[in-house]
Amino acid sequence: MNAFLAGLNPAQREAVAHTEGPLLILAGAGSGKTRVITQRIAYILAQGIAQPGEILAVTFTNKAAGEMRERVAALVGARAGRELVISTFHSFCLRVLRAEIAHLGYRQDFTISSEGDVRTVVRRLLEDLDDVKETFDPDSFVEQIGLVKNNGLFEVPEDQPGGDTETARKYAKWLPAVFEKYQSALRAANTLDFDDLLLLTLRLWREHPRILARYQKRLRYVMVDEYQDTNHLQYELLRLLAAAHRNICVVGDDDQSIYGWRGADIRNILSFETDYPEAKIVKLEQNYRSTQTILSSANAVIANNRARREKKLWSELGAGRPLDWFVTGDEEHEAKMVVAWIQHIRERTRAKYTDFAVLYRSNLQSRPIEIAMRQAKIPYVVVGGQDFFERTEVKDIIAYLRAVVNPRDEVAFLRIANMPRRGIGDATLHQVHALCLAENIPFAKGLSEAMRRGAIQGRSEAGIRELLGLLRGFGERFRQGGAPLSQLVQELVDRIGYRAELVRTSKSDLQLEQKWSNVEAVIDAVAQYEQQCEGPPTLSAFLDESALNKNDDQRGNANQKRSGVTLMTIHSAKGLEFPFVFIAGIEEGLLPHEKCLQGDALEEERRLFYVALTRGKRHVTLFEACARNRRGRERLCTTSRFVKEIPEALLCRHVRAAREMVSDRVAPPQVSQSPKRRRKSR
């Protein structure tokens, strides 16, 4: 047997050895899909079917791409591993656009706008729409703009649905104008948002068939991880790229499609055979993570979904104990029960705190659990805290660097214009912004034009001239090279007097040092980039790398080093596993969420619960509150329908134990032992 097929189960071997034509690998939770992908790449290379540079593997996070590259390199050698194209969708498309974007009339020195930058642009645009009398939320427009782009559209369609409410219809009415102005603002600033990286690549390939043909010829084998999470835009990119050779292999699990709210389209994986009638389908159903009780519970729940491919997970790891199900009084009771059960399990099994994860539907559920953890002196980490690149001082330094690379970047300039203070007031900046909109000119040119016309004078003019001179000077130094990038960044930070600004604005010495350490971390990141960069290091490439890392999927944030019990949303837990998983808030209106009780939305909620169950390795515990404080009012709760879908034989329901282990102002009510019956109100 080939070395790359050894140690695989029959279904895994079948997937690895199938090298020609479309292939759909339906990989259930914990079925070893990453191993199958990497072994398949190694097998293709070992058989001489393709060269490393002819294989493209696409993932959803930079962390996943890095791990896949390391695994393949360990199998086929470091040199071949370096030649493989393994990246996220955004990284791959950025690489394409850096080489080809001039064909679309864009400047090659474009910068990438963060989510915060996008909100800033939209907010300013709304201020300039005189006809808008109502107060609009910029975030709602940002979301709608993203959905339009994720559908592969370059403008808002005339038949864009208006929604069921008056507010939704108002947003729909103004969306075309806001979308058009937003895109014009980005283009004038020579910036792209993250969706543009994919959308403009699609446009490039559609409008320039010769360029597309070049990439098709080069990338003969395309492999896609987590295919169930792709949106329509990603689907179109893959369809075009694989059209010539049709050697596309997609790996995913429709039962774990939980990102419909941000554009993921489950139809992509469900209709794969329609797109590729000659496709081979392989199911990976053997689970290497969980006990059979956990899997049987998950199988029973997900079987209630209609839009899915039939599969049934099984394990050789033993039956395991039934799922424990605690019925508690309210959220404080629930939190104390979580703590008590963690302590009980640790006493019984000698488990470490890092073996536990508490999962919930909404971040709002974490507060009482955190309080209970602190009171019990249990170490914990909450996944989903403030991202490093979202910290004020980090955003300031990055904005300076973006303005150095791309003087047209309006958002970057507006952030740094008065940081530190230079006497440039908001009124001055608003005046320049209005001029740029009226004459459709970039912001840097608008500044020069405003000063030429005498619209900016005195201290403001001096401040702007000083800043423009600073940016031009450092721009030239970065382009010339000769000095390490990190040294130049350090000089820029010193030149603008940023530490003095932090001294002025910090409320304490501790806060000052925390903020300054973040600035130093940016400089260290530049130095690290220089050390690891394979080619000549450039400031533009560093900013690209930083932007892509910042935009990494939230699942990547969940992989941070853990020092205690992990608290996280179920969405953040996707792709992770823990010996002991606690699922809190298993109530109607929470899981499933009250806004998702019908049709496709309900099925996605059920998939979310399925994902939560299948994170557990040794045991899963469910927690339910009979009453919960919501929007300032205490409301009675009923058991989640998803729990009722689990066979009784797989559940061990605790009511008396909860009452005995926890005391609070609300006592758990007497409850029927049958999960099939409706619980009585208190």
Side-chain angles (χ1 to χ4, degrees), residues 45 49 114 156 158 229 240 246 370 391 447 484 492 495 511 554 559 571 610 614 650 654:
L45 295 176
I49 298 171
S114 68
V156 180
E158 294 182 359
D229 293 339
L240 287 176
R246 300 180 73 81
E370 288 186 65
R391 296 167 184 172
L447 284 169
L492 176 62
R495 179 75 176 276
Q511 187 184 64
Q554 62 179 329
N559 284 285
H571 285 99
Y610 174 87
T614 54
L650 302 177
H654 303 267

Side-chain angles (χ1 to χ4, degrees), residues 190-259:
N190 196 36
T191 63
L192 310 181
D193 64 24
F194 286 99
D195 294 325
D196 283 334
L197 296 177
L198 277 60
L199 190 65
L200 291 182
T201 301
L202 179 64
R203 178 184 162 192
L204 176 76
W205 285 353
R206 283 178 174 176
E207 295 181 359
H208 300 275
R210 290 185 178 179
I211 296 176
L212 171 61
R214 185 169 8 107
Y215 283 91
Q216 289 175 331
K217 182 179 179 180
R218 175 190 167 193
L219 300 170
R220 296 171 49 230
Y221 286 84
V222 179
M223 303 187 197
V224 189
D225 193 13
E226 303 286 5
Y227 189 63
Q228 78 281 346
D229 293 339
T230 55
N231 57 36
H232 185 72
L233 176 54
Q234 291 159 338
Y235 164 85
E236 285 293 326
L237 286 168
L238 293 169
R239 186 183 63 82
L240 287 176
L241 188 59
H245 298 282
R246 300 180 73 81
N247 288 323
I248 181 170
C249 168
V250 301
V251 186
D253 182 7
D254 51 294
D255 290 335
Q256 297 187 73
S257 179
I258 60 174
Y259 297 113

